Amino acid sequence: MSGKRGAPGLAGRLRAEGLRLTSQRERVLAAVAVLEHGTPEEIGARLRAEAGPVGAAPDTSTVYRTLELLERLGLVWHTHLGKGAPVYHAAEHAHLHVVCQVCGEITSVDPSLMEAAAERLATDLGFTVDVGHVALSGTCRACAEKIRTEHS
Amino acid sequence: MSGKRGAPGLAGRLRAEGLRLTSQRERVLAAVAVLEHGTPEEIGARLRAEAGPVGAAPDTSTVYRTLELLERLGLVWHTHLGKGAPVYHAAEHAHLHVVCQVCGEITSVDPSLMEAAAERLATDLGFTVDVGHVALSGTCRACAEKIRTEHS
DNA sequence: CTCGTTGCAAAGGATTTGCACAAGT
DNA sequence: ACTTGTGCAAATCCTTTGCAACGAG
């Protein structure tokens, strides 16, 4: 809740790899956290808006590079929700996504939902599932009913 | 197992919507089935190879249009496995994908893995999960061990 | 015949890359 | 100072679209 600090682990993680702490990296990470589900483009736009007419916002290519870095550091995760661009979210609050293919609505669900499946994969294949990346497609209740109704 | 027939439902589904059965559509569907996990580009390449120097293969744009159509008809599904292009697979044999983020290996898993999670989503949210679209990211056993070893 | 389909080529959008300059440590 | 990070612009990659010719029903 400390309004100032962008994220606790950022500086440390960077130093651990001999990398540098820059304002761009702090701002991109902050934007990801605020937007919840933001595409690279949206994150860039947000930063541009925050910067106002004066301050400079990170370049688009920097946003992409930074996002990739932050993901490698384990601070953010990305998921493909629909067709277009992937969305990024902060790794802090782990959760998985449920997306309605009809209306596009995104619902966040507790990771415990996948516990059983994850354990079975670990046992059977030695595979470690990354809950942050999980996105489940399907149809939400509202759209399912709407479709049933429209069924002439 | 019938070498000739591309797929049972194709002709019927098309007629049901007043659409036409074309050789391109048959061939694209067949290619999707053969390739198991093919990107639009790979599917196009495959068709070009099959056609040989004589026969004509469907155009790239036709491949995209056809894939979209087949998906709408419920004959194929697509999933985003990694960064780039999505992969398509036949809807016949329902299965979900497990992808190693390190080596990129794709493993097909039985849908029953998700049964518990799917049921809970249905009960809690009224959400119907589409198993064909599910892709789980993570690290496979081999890569996990490799990483642990390299850990200087 | 009539209308859906295809091929071609060009447009479009998203993401990446090379390089010289700016900035962190 | 030394080395990494950034901005800029061009290059790529993936996908979509307009339109005239083609072919299934």
Side-chain angles (χ1 to χ4, degrees), chain B residues 20-21 40-41 60-61 64-65 85-86:
Chain B
R20 291 167 188 173
L21 178 61
E41 197 193 339
T60 303
S61 62
Y64 277 98
R65 285 190 278 229

Side-chain angles (χ1 to χ4, degrees), chain B residues 64-99:
Chain B
Y64 277 98
R65 285 190 278 229
T66 303
L67 250 13
E68 192 184 336
L69 171 66
L70 293 178
E71 183 154 37
R72 196 151 53 66
L73 295 179
L75 296 170
V76 306
W77 279 325
H78 83 273
T79 310
H80 288 273
L81 294 185
K83 273 266 147 183
V87 299
Y88 285 79
H89 60 96
E92 308 177 30
H93 24 65
H95 63 273
L96 45 86
H97 302 98
V98 170
V99 195

Side-chain angles (χ1 to χ4, degrees), chain A residues 18-71:
Chain A
L19 302 177
R20 292 167 188 172
L21 177 62
T22 65
S23 71
Q24 286 89 333
R25 288 173 178 171
E26 291 179 311
R27 281 186 278 163
V28 168
L29 180 53
V32 169
V34 173
L35 288 178
E36 293 277 315
H37 307 292
T39 63
E41 197 193 339
E42 292 168 338
I43 292 168
R46 168 86 190 191
L47 291 171
R48 236 166 285 124
E50 284 179 348
V54 190
D59 181 76
T60 303
S61 62
T62 299
V63 172
Y64 278 98
R65 286 190 277 228
T66 303
L67 249 13
E68 193 183 335
L69 171 66
L70 293 178
E71 183 154 37

Side-chain angles (χ1 to χ4, degrees), chain B residues 5-22:
Chain B
R5 168 184 305 124
L10 180 56
R13 307 262 191 149
L14 288 171
R15 305 196 62 172
E17 300 210 14
L19 301 177
R20 291 167 188 173
L21 178 61
T22 65

